[in-house]
Amino acid sequence: RESILLDRDTTTFFGGIDLWSDHLLAPLVPLRRALSTLRIGMPQDSLLTVASELLGQVRSLQKTVNATALAQRILMHWQEGLEKLARLSCNISLRFALADTVVVPRQRVNCTLEIGSKECKISGVKQEFSVPPGWSISEAVGSAPVLDQHRYVHDFSLVVGEAPVLTLPKAVAQYRPIEAEQDVRATISCTVSGHPFTFSTHALFDVAPPQTFAVSPTNTRIAPAQLSKGKTFEYTITNCRPGEMTGKVVVQCPVGWRSESESYRIQAEDSTTHGTITIRAAKDTKPGEYVLKFKTEYAVQEVAVKVFDVAFAEGSTVGQVKSYDNTLEAALKEIGVPCKLIDGKELEVGNLSSYSTVIIDIRAYLVREDLTKNSNRLLQYAKDGGNLVVMYQRSQEWKPEYAPYPFDISNNRVTDEDAQIDVLESEHPLLNHPNRIDEADWQGWKQERGLYFPKNVPHEYTLLLSTHDPDELEQKTGYIVAQYGKGTYIYTSYVWYRQLKETNPGAFRCFANMISYPDFRK
């Protein structure tokens, strides 16, 4: 029975599906049979004759057949295949190229259309173009087609519309829907060795704004005590249009804030300039989030500035076993805590007791072989009085013995970034010193709460927090701490690093409490 119902070819997406039982495809059946007359080894002239005739039938059906999506898709597939067959048979080259492959709004750019074949004669060439709305294309001024028996070349002038869909920067454009794609296509009708054919091709290019404008950092913190000192931002401007570009960078600030402005001059297309601008907040600025708008004549870049305080234990020294992310060291630098990256040699023979806290970065057990080899030295560091903080690790990268009291790691996660946080140990030092953590500190999270929560957690650990997605089980093991010998071990599955990247005040305060724990643990 299976041999009757199933197509033996299981290598294609439609294998085993009888598309041709659809009555709407009946007008295509005669053409489908005719396509089977094409055979390997056919003489070139016979192949061109059959392919030309079949292409004519395809175009006729495209205009008359019931316009179901499937029928049109099949006809388009046949058209592309027949055109390719003819091109390969005669070794036809087809080119439609823009002189500038990165264009900007309203730019006029030269382009060249060319078709040629060393084996077959090309004659009677005509072309049509398809461009997005608001674009135009015409024959280049003073140009004339170059034509001989085997080659046709003609120059045109393309004018980009006023509001094209930008394809650069790629980091932004890649998220646009496929419906937003814009195509500049050329269709050539010609005679190939006496047989009429139509070929189509499209130009490859990107559309950029007149300039790209980036400001760094895009979000940052100012401590209330540092309001008058100011914050310096770096900017980068790249000229994407032909010729010289001049202008000024200005900043739109909240009332009472002061900023500089900077003039710039970029001499040529694809050239870049860099600069800095310092912003000074008003002395009476209250804690909160403020938006700055950095502007040029062509672009605007918004920057979030968050004013808040973070307390940490004076004299804290942090060693970090870094993975592939620099968020933690940047956060420590922001709040003024000394941090040193621990290399393999120090892990193996160094004096780890010089650090009040050692942090193991996210997924470090995957990328740091020296860490897995020396995990016992870090446990000994904690046992001797150190404070070992471990950020989340994935289940397949974790071994229970990496922890002083072994536990496994699940694949559970809490994806709701606003999921309720319930405090299980409200008086625990990690939630109170030196920063009192309250409901407001869980606001404004990005992407998710936590992932890879520990399981089978021994009783030696204190569970600090609980959270869960709607209609899901409570996850109580995302922030755990244990006394180990003279020191402490902290493991957390909350995505602190994502929040630290966003300069989330609550994340900074919780992070400061972790590294300050040696001064407040009981």
Side-chain angles (χ1 to χ4, degrees):
R1 182 172 177 82
E2 287 186 355
S3 62
I4 297 174
L5 293 178
L6 300 179
D7 190 332
R8 291 185 179 182
D9 177 15
T10 59
T11 62
T12 66
F13 183 80
F14 292 105
I17 302 175
D18 183 10
L19 300 175
W20 296 95
S21 62
D22 186 345
H23 71 280
L24 295 176
L25 298 182
L28 276 60
V29 172
L31 179 54
R32 185 190 183 205
R33 295 196 186 101
L35 287 167
S36 65
T37 62
L38 292 166
R39 293 284 185 270
I40 296 175
M42 288 180 68
Q44 184 184 76
D45 187 66
S46 299
L47 187 148
L48 292 174
T49 299
V50 175
S52 178
E53 291 176 354
L54 294 177
L55 273 171
Q57 294 181 43
V58 167
R59 293 191 193 91
S60 177
L61 284 169
Q62 286 173 328
K63 296 177 182 178
T64 60
V65 73
N66 191 334
T68 65
L70 178 57
Q72 292 296 338
R73 183 70 180 174
I74 291 173
L75 288 170
M76 183 179 70
H77 177 69
W78 287 346
Q79 177 184 342
E80 292 173 350
L82 289 167
E83 288 180 1
K84 185 176 182 180
L85 184 63
R87 289 176 60 180
L88 290 174
S89 176
C90 286
N91 194 22
I92 293 174
S93 62
L94 186 60
R95 185 173 71 94
F96 184 29
L98 273 58
D100 188 350
T101 56
V102 177
V103 298
V104 299
R106 298 183 296 278
Q107 180 180 345
R108 180 180 295 274
V109 57
N110 291 332
C111 50
T112 300
L113 181 62
E114 179 179 0
I115 183 171
S117 171
K118 294 181 179 179
E119 300 179 16
C120 299
K121 293 182 179 180
I122 305 292
S123 61
V125 179
K126 296 180 180 179
Q127 65 275 320
E128 292 182 353
F129 298 98
S130 173
V131 297
W135 297 44
S136 64
I137 189 168
S138 58
E139 188 176 70
V141 176
S143 71
V146 176
L147 177 64
D148 58 32
Q149 290 186 340
H150 297 278
R151 183 169 175 263
Y152 171 87
V153 183
H154 202 170
D155 292 330
F156 296 87
S157 180
L158 173 71
V159 178
V160 181
E162 289 191 7
V165 176
L166 302 180
T167 63
L168 295 176
K170 292 292 186 185
V172 176
Q174 65 183 341
Y175 297 107
R176 291 197 175 95
I178 192 172
E179 291 80 8
E181 289 184 359
Q182 52 207 350
D183 194 21
V184 175
R185 180 168 292 274
T187 301
I188 294 180
S189 300
C190 62
T191 299
V192 179
S193 295
H195 303 283
F197 279 96
T198 299
F199 304 107
S200 62
T201 185
H202 64 274
L204 299 176
F205 60 92
D206 277 303
V207 183
Q211 66 175 211
T212 59
F213 179 45
V215 178
S216 178
T218 55
N219 61 75
T220 190
R221 164 185 173 263
I222 298 180
Q226 301 294 321
L227 287 172
S228 60
K229 184 178 180 180
K231 195 81 173 182
T232 298
F233 296 84
E234 298 180 353
Y235 65 83
T236 300
I237 304 174
T238 300
N239 178 18
C240 299
R241 72 179 192 186
E244 183 181 78
M245 175 180 285
T246 60
K248 182 176 288 188
V249 180
V250 298
V251 187
Q252 180 179 319
C253 297
V255 175
W257 291 42
R258 294 179 293 117
S259 71
E260 305 165 351
S261 62
E262 289 285 331
S263 297
Y264 66 88
R265 178 171 177 263
I266 308 175
Q267 293 184 332
E269 182 180 5
D270 297 330
S271 297
T272 297
T273 189
H274 306 273
T276 61
I277 290 183
T278 299
I279 307 296
R280 289 178 173 81
K283 292 182 180 180
D284 58 351
T285 298
K286 296 180 180 179
E289 181 173 340
Y290 300 86
V291 176
L292 308 178
K293 291 185 178 181
F294 288 73
K295 295 183 176 182
T296 70
E297 293 78 358
Y298 302 98
V300 177
Q301 177 72 59
E302 289 192 353
V303 169
V305 176
K306 297 170 185 176
V307 178
F308 63 91
D309 240 334
V310 179
F312 62 90
E314 294 294 332
S316 296
T317 55
V318 176
Q320 182 188 348
V321 183
K322 182 178 178 178
S323 55
Y324 48 78
D325 188 83
N326 64 359
T327 302
L328 300 185
E329 57 189 296
L332 290 167
K333 181 179 180 181
E334 171 63 40
I335 61 177
V337 175
C339 174
K340 182 176 181 296
L341 299 182
I342 300 176
D343 60 20
K345 184 176 181 180
E346 188 174 6
L347 273 176
E348 185 177 2
V349 298
N351 179 21
L352 300 178
S353 64
S354 63
Y355 303 112
S356 58
T357 294
V358 170
I359 304 175
I360 298 178
D361 208 347
I362 57 170
R363 302 190 62 189
Y365 287 97
L366 169 69
V367 299
R368 293 287 297 268
E369 186 178 354
D370 53 359
L371 170 61
T372 61
K373 288 181 178 179
N374 295 287
S375 61
N376 285 335
R377 287 204 79 234
L378 288 168
L379 293 181
Q380 189 63 47
Y381 155 81
K383 192 173 185 179
D384 292 341
N387 179 40
L388 185 58
V389 178
V390 182
M391 297 296 174
Y392 82 79
Q393 311 293 317
R394 291 178 64 181
S395 55
Q396 59 266 45
E397 302 154 9
W398 176 259
K399 293 182 180 179
E401 59 266 29
Y402 292 155
Y405 309 110
F407 56 79
D408 297 311
I409 291 181
S410 72
N411 290 319
N412 297 339
R413 48 172 82 212
V414 176
T415 59
D416 184 352
E417 57 199 17
D418 297 317
Q420 175 66 34
I421 299 290
D422 295 316
V423 177
L424 304 177
E425 295 286 340
S426 61
E427 299 306 314
H428 196 279
L430 281 170
L431 300 175
N432 289 275
H433 305 292
N435 300 281
R436 174 75 178 178
I437 306 303
D438 59 27
E439 197 67 35
D441 290 306
W442 306 112
Q443 306 304 312
W445 277 48
K446 302 295 183 183
Q447 188 163 333
E448 55 196 338
R449 285 293 195 194
L451 65 173
Y452 304 114
F453 287 79
K455 62 181 180 180
N456 305 321
V457 175
H459 67 86
E460 287 87 352
Y461 293 96
T462 299
L463 313 184
L464 300 178
L465 303 173
S466 177
T467 187
H468 64 94
D469 278 326
D471 302 321
E472 297 287 343
L473 295 175
E474 293 275 351
Q475 301 296 326
K476 298 182 178 182
T477 59
Y479 196 5
I480 61 178
V481 59
Q483 186 75 29
Y484 184 54
K486 298 178 182 179
T488 42
Y489 179 90
I490 299 171
Y491 186 96
T492 177
S493 294
Y494 285 83
V495 287
W496 305 108
Y497 87 100
R498 295 193 202 279
Q499 316 319 316
L500 293 171
K501 281 180 183 290
E502 298 292 330
T503 321
N504 180 287
F508 266 88
R509 293 189 183 107
C510 287
F511 185 54
N513 285 9
M514 292 180 212
I515 63 177
S516 301
Y517 191 44
D519 281 27
F520 300 97
R521 60 193 176 191
K522 299 175 182 178

